[in-house]
Amino acid sequence: MSMNNKKIIIADIKTLSPDGINIGGHPIAVANNYMEIFRERCIVAGGYAITHNFPVSQTITLPYCINHDSLLSKLKIFINAIVLFRKGRNQIIVLQQSTTITSFLCIALFYHCHSKLFLIQYNLEGFRSRVGKLLFKLAKRKINGILCPYDMIGDAFQGIPFCTLPDYIYTGNAQQTEIPYSKRKYDICVVGRISPEKGVIEVARHYAKTKYHIVIAGKPQNEKIAKQLESACEGAENIKLHLGLIPNEEYYGYLRNSKYALLNYSEVYSERSSGVVFDTLFNGVPILGKKCNALYFISENQLGGLYDCIENLDTESFFQEDIHNRLVCNIRIYRKSLNSFINKLYSFLTQ
């Protein structure tokens, strides 16, 4: 079978899902992006929480979704990997980054090089422990390539060919009419998974009881963060707090109805990318963010503004309609520039 006839399988062998039905947005968004790019050549593989979002004819439903980390969960991931490698035989498999070290082990034990195998890697998580480094060495010769946002991540894979590209590639398929500045309901939104490195609690404390209308929406990493955030927003009528797993329709609704998205990331994002950044830009929303590698392209392409610390952010200077509209215009230009990555990705996977 020639490379032009092989299916491209975008797969998540972990499919982390608390209830077996709902899942965080990033794995589904990536699968959607591959479906838009490769159309009938694309197959989405994962637990039911992912595959039920796609046509049955273009899915491989793996046996398990994972609702928490445990030894039994590792066994379920092994079974998912075995099924994927068997059903993906003689095709092109692209593994989403959801369980890096376990993926190395699955590749070393169960993958027999009957397909082409690529890994998506957003950070260097797999190299932070001796176990991870050892398992990578065992799996290395079986991996055909790495898809990553930065060269430094690709270089860490010790000679494996890599392709640098953004988390999502803009196709225009999801483009909607942009909401005018004056009709956007919120001044600032903070959306997505809520974890310490995203600095959401600091944002809440900074803007509580100010004139700015804020929406904070996402699932907290743990109960401690949820309580801290609720405390920071207590008595702040200007902040709408929506904690929990946010359905895609509401997630994108919050984005599109906001004048700016605020990403108060810490330096951990100097070695990882952020899917929320591209969700935001693809929906025509400028970004205000803390300086880090994941966001430097925002200032380079004039898609928003960056700051050293949130206390020094001159928020008011961004709330002029002409400034906002100019940033939105720059976003449109930037999105079109991403079309070149479609051919780059296709060539890398099928060479």
Side-chain angles (χ1 to χ4, degrees):
M1 183 184 292
S2 73
M3 283 297 168
N4 290 331
N5 293 326
K6 290 180 181 291
K7 297 291 186 181
I8 296 171
I9 302 171
I10 178 71
D12 182 356
I13 59 174
K14 186 174 184 179
T15 310
L16 186 60
S17 173
D19 59 10
I21 298 175
N22 298 304
I23 187 173
H26 191 77
I28 292 177
V30 172
N32 251 321
N33 199 217
Y34 272 64
M35 189 71 78
E36 290 174 348
I37 293 169
F38 298 111
R39 300 181 183 275
E40 67 278 356
R41 285 194 65 180
C42 182
I43 301 292
V44 176
Y48 178 75
I50 287 181
T51 58
H52 84 277
N53 295 280
F54 299 92
V56 174
S57 61
Q58 288 183 263
T59 60
I60 297 173
T61 300
L62 303 179
Y64 297 108
C65 295
I66 308 302
N67 55 23
H68 63 278
D69 287 324
S70 66
L71 288 177
L72 179 59
S73 295
K74 297 298 183 188
L75 177 60
K76 291 178 178 179
I77 293 170
F78 290 168
I79 295 171
N80 280 349
I82 292 169
V83 172
L84 171 67
F85 296 151
R86 178 171 56 82
K87 292 192 174 183
R89 189 183 176 97
N90 295 323
Q91 308 301 330
I92 299 169
I93 299 173
V94 181
L95 279 186
Q96 296 212 42
Q97 181 176 345
S98 58
T99 176
T100 303
I101 294 176
T102 305
S103 292
F104 291 162
L105 181 56
C106 289
I107 293 166
L109 292 177
F110 309 124
Y111 180 63
H112 302 297
C113 302
H114 295 305
S115 312
K116 292 191 71 176
L117 180 65
F118 298 85
L119 308 186
I120 297 176
Q121 295 291 302
Y122 301 119
N123 53 44
L124 300 176
E125 176 185 313
F127 297 97
R128 292 202 179 104
S129 69
R130 290 182 180 179
V131 172
K133 292 174 182 176
L134 174 61
L135 293 177
F136 167 68
K137 288 182 180 178
L138 296 175
K140 178 183 176 182
R141 66 180 180 81
K142 299 182 177 183
I143 301 169
N144 294 99
I146 304 296
L147 303 167
C148 56
Y150 312 126
D151 286 353
M152 71 171 186
I153 295 175
D155 289 336
F157 282 84
Q158 304 171 15
I160 296 177
F162 67 88
C163 177
T164 55
L165 69 173
D167 291 25
Y168 310 134
I169 298 173
Y170 186 69
T171 63
N173 290 358
Q175 187 173 9
Q176 302 181 54
T177 303
E178 290 164 351
I179 298 173
Y181 178 86
S182 60
K183 293 185 178 180
R184 298 196 183 198
K185 185 176 179 180
Y186 305 104
D187 294 316
I188 293 171
C189 71
V190 182
V191 295
R193 184 177 59 88
I194 299 172
S195 55
E197 66 269 18
K198 292 193 174 183
V200 180
I201 294 169
E202 291 79 4
V203 173
R205 289 171 178 163
H206 183 71
Y207 286 107
K209 302 178 183 179
T210 65
K211 67 178 182 178
Y212 299 103
H213 296 288
I214 314 288
V215 58
I216 298 174
K219 184 178 181 179
Q221 180 174 300
N222 53 49
E223 188 63 27
K224 178 182 177 182
I225 292 174
K227 289 181 178 178
Q228 289 176 332
L229 189 52
E230 289 170 344
S231 176
C233 296
E234 188 174 357
E237 295 182 1
N238 66 310
I239 298 180
K240 175 178 178 177
L241 193 59
H242 183 172
L243 300 184
L245 196 62
I246 310 299
N248 280 346
E249 185 176 345
E250 291 184 59
Y251 171 79
Y252 292 115
Y254 286 139
L255 278 174
R256 297 184 67 247
N257 277 284
S258 298
K259 292 169 182 164
Y260 292 91
L262 199 150
L263 304 175
N264 192 41
Y265 291 163
S266 66
E267 278 304 305
V268 70
Y269 276 90
S270 285
E271 66 167 45
R272 71 168 65 173
S273 58
S274 169
V276 174
V277 175
F278 294 97
D279 284 338
T280 301
L281 297 177
F282 289 2
N283 281 276
V285 181
I287 289 172
L288 302 177
K290 190 172 182 179
K291 291 178 181 176
C292 62
N293 281 354
L295 297 180
Y296 279 136
F297 78 98
I298 297 298
S299 59
E300 291 171 356
N301 294 279
Q302 299 182 52
L303 311 175
L306 302 185
Y307 55 84
D308 292 307
C309 64
I310 197 167
E311 289 76 17
N312 295 335
L313 171 61
D314 183 8
T315 306
E316 186 63 27
S317 66
F318 288 94
F319 282 88
Q320 298 177 40
E321 188 167 355
D322 60 333
I323 291 175
H324 180 272
N325 289 344
R326 185 167 68 249
L327 294 173
V328 171
C329 183
N330 292 341
I331 288 172
R332 296 190 195 111
I333 295 169
Y334 175 75
R335 288 188 311 212
K336 289 181 180 179
S337 74
L338 296 182
N339 284 336
S340 63
F341 285 103
I342 293 177
N343 289 333
K344 184 178 182 181
L345 175 61
Y346 181 86
S347 297
F348 186 69
L349 294 181
T350 60
Q351 62 188 349

